Every structure is written in C-alpha cells, then in structure tokens.
C-alpha cells in the first residue's frame, strides 16, 4: 500500500513581473520519502521550494499539504508552517540568541510551551544533530557546519510532518559539508519526510527515494535515482550531469 501524500504541487506557476520562473510544476511527496530536486542554476528549484510553504506565493496553481489546499483564501499559513520545517542556505539564526534560544524560540512563541518544556524538546533536537554541547554558544562562535546543524535542530524541534531544505550545504566550506549531510542521512533513516534542493549529486543519488530534475521552470524528469542518473533518454539532463562530473 502506498503511503499518504504529504505535499503536492499542482500546476505551479511563479512570475516576477514579465519573468516566468515556474511554468506549471507538478509533483508529490509521500510520507517518509526523501525527494531531491536538482538542476542548473536558474531552473526554478529554490523558487519552487519556497512556494511549498508560501514564503513565495505562487502566481497560479495549488500547494496541497496533508490534504489541504494552503493557497486558498482563509488558510492560516502560520499554523500550517508549524508542520512544514524549513532549513535555509544562510542558516537564518538570530545572532543575539544562544543555540538553545534559537531552537526553542518557536516552541515558546508559536506553540506557547513553557521555558522548561521548550528547553527539554530543544535539547533533544540538539542531541539529534550532535550539538547539545553547544547549547549556550552564540552563532558567531560556531562554524558554518555547526550553524546549519542548529538550523536543522530548530526545524526538527517542532516535530514537522515534512522538512524543506534549500541548498543546505551551499554556504559551507567543503570540509564541513559531510557533517551536515550526515545529519540529514540520520533523519532519513529515522523516517523524516524531506524535500531537498541540492547540488550534492552523491547525496541525491545515494539517499533519495526519488529525484526531480528541473530545467527552465518545469519538471524535466521525476524518477528513481538510478534512472535519473543513468539519463539515457534526456540529453539536457546528460549535459547537466556531465558538467557536474567534469567540475568534480
């Protein structure tokens, strides 16, 4: 039996003035899946991801989260976002808050938990990403990889139904990438539903249930990693992957 659909994009278009970035995107993410989105720069990957929790509002189409069209009038998107975690490229940590303070802020301010309850959940989330020992540190005392792991802990602490990752390693020095990918692998093994925009082809190939290849604002391919990376019948994807391999 197939697992339930957590997130579905239906005919998503996104225009910035005369520039059409997304031209009718459709895909589904089922419970427990890790779906990677790959493609060349400017293909619409990050715009699509940000449409999934309405950080960018689609020009047309529907985002359906857990059976609810969250693009329709009257939906409390702040309530919905409690169940859609987000991990950003640039970490987006508050510099004046400690590591634990960053992780517990939404628990206290959005979920209205007591400081003690929020701290207990926050420490458990930090332990998941091997950052419990840095609970009292401030962001400027952390490496890029540590900051990103705190960002992941912040998302995990809310116990979301899905976590969206927007190029989570793109701002990191190469030697720090593996620590963040290791945390993401652990979340995958624990059954977390994840939608990941990434340029880490090895991760996408080894860990994904499915890979979406975007090009020119459309989904050019959506298949298993094995079929995507074989790319036998898609010249555009072959060109993209060969360029990546040559750069490596």
């Amino acid at each position: 039996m197939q697992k339930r659909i957590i997130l579905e994009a239906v005919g998503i278009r996104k225009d910035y003035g005369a520039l059409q970035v997304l031209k009718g995107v459709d895909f589904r993410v089922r419970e427990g899946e890790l779906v990677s989105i790959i493609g060349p720069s400017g293909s619409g990957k990050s715009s699509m991801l940000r449409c999934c929790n309405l950080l960018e509002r689609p020009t047309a189409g529907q985002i359906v989260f857990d059976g609810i069209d969250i693009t329709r009038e009257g939906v409390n998107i702040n309530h919905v976002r409690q169940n859609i975690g987000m991990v950003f490229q640039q970490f987006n940590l508050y510099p004046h808050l400690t590591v634990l303070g960053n992780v517990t802020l939404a628990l206290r301010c959005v979920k209205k938990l007591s400081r003690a309850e929020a701290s207990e959940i926050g420490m458990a989330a930090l332990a998941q990403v091997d950052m419990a020992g840095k609970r009292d540190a401030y962001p400027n005392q952390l490496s890029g990889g540590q900051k990103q792991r705190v960002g992941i802990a912040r998302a995990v602490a809310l116990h979301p139904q899905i976590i969206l990752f927007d190029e989570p390693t793109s701002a990191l020095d190469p030697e720090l990438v593996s620590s963040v990918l290791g945390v993401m692998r652990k979340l995958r093994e624990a059954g977390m539903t994840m939608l990941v925009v990434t340029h880490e082809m090895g991760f996408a190939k080894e860990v994904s249930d499915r890979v979406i290849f975007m090009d020119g604002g459309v989904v050019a391919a959506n298949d298993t990693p094995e079929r995507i990376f074989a790319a036998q019948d898609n010249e555009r994807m072959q060109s993209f992957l060969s360029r990546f391999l040559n750069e490596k």
Side-chain angles (χ1 to χ4, degrees), residues 12-14 16 22 46-59 63 70-71 164:
I12 295 298
R13 283 184 37 235
K14 179 63 182 177
Y16 297 99
L22 300 173
S46 288
S47 292
M48 184 62 242
L49 194 77
R50 292 171 68 85
C51 283
C52 289
N53 63 358
L54 301 196
L55 286 176
E56 298 277 1
R57 185 165 281 275
T59 305
I63 297 292
I70 65 173
T71 55
L164 313 179

Side-chain angles (χ1 to χ4, degrees), residues 43-194:
S43 60
K45 305 184 299 298
S46 288
S47 292
M48 184 62 242
L49 194 77
R50 292 171 68 85
C51 283
C52 289
N53 63 358
L54 301 196
L55 286 176
E56 298 277 1
R57 185 165 281 275
T59 305
Q62 297 173 304
I63 297 292
V64 181
F65 172 70
D66 201 18
I68 298 170
D69 176 7
I70 65 173
T71 55
R72 65 177 168 78
E73 288 289 326
V75 171
N76 185 339
I77 189 58
N78 290 323
H79 178 73
V80 171
R81 284 185 185 136
Q82 294 181 41
N83 292 299
I84 305 177
M86 184 80 180
V87 177
F88 301 89
Q89 290 183 43
Q90 298 293 340
F91 324 128
N92 287 20
L93 301 180
Y94 291 101
H96 65 288
L97 295 178
T98 65
V99 163
L100 184 59
N102 270 280
V103 172
T104 59
L105 183 63
L107 294 171
R108 292 189 290 109
C109 296
V110 179
K111 291 207 165 183
K112 306 301 182 184
L113 299 184
S114 70
R115 188 173 292 273
E117 289 174 309
S119 292
E120 183 178 350
I121 294 170
M123 286 303 297
L126 287 170
Q128 276 188 267
V129 300
D130 299 321
M131 286 294 292
K134 295 287 188 179
R135 59 171 288 169
D136 296 321
Y138 287 87
N140 65 1
Q141 299 172 309
L142 304 177
S143 70
Q146 290 172 327
K147 290 177 186 176
Q148 194 57 289
R149 283 188 277 157
V150 174
I152 294 172
R154 177 177 55 189
V156 167
L158 289 169
H159 298 293
Q161 294 187 50
I162 187 171
I163 299 181
L164 313 179
F165 292 81
D166 187 9
E167 301 253 19
T169 60
S170 66
L172 303 181
D173 293 333
E175 64 268 22
L176 302 176
V177 168
S178 62
S179 69
V180 172
L181 294 182
V183 167
M184 294 172 67
R185 289 172 190 270
K186 285 183 183 178
L187 292 177
R188 168 78 178 86
E189 291 164 5
M192 175 60 72
T193 308
M194 303 161 71

Side-chain angles (χ1 to χ4, degrees), residues 207-224:
V207 183
S208 304
D209 293 290
R210 281 184 298 111
V211 175
I212 293 169
F213 175 68
M214 288 189 66
D215 186 36
V218 301
V219 172
N222 182 350
D223 213 329
T224 64

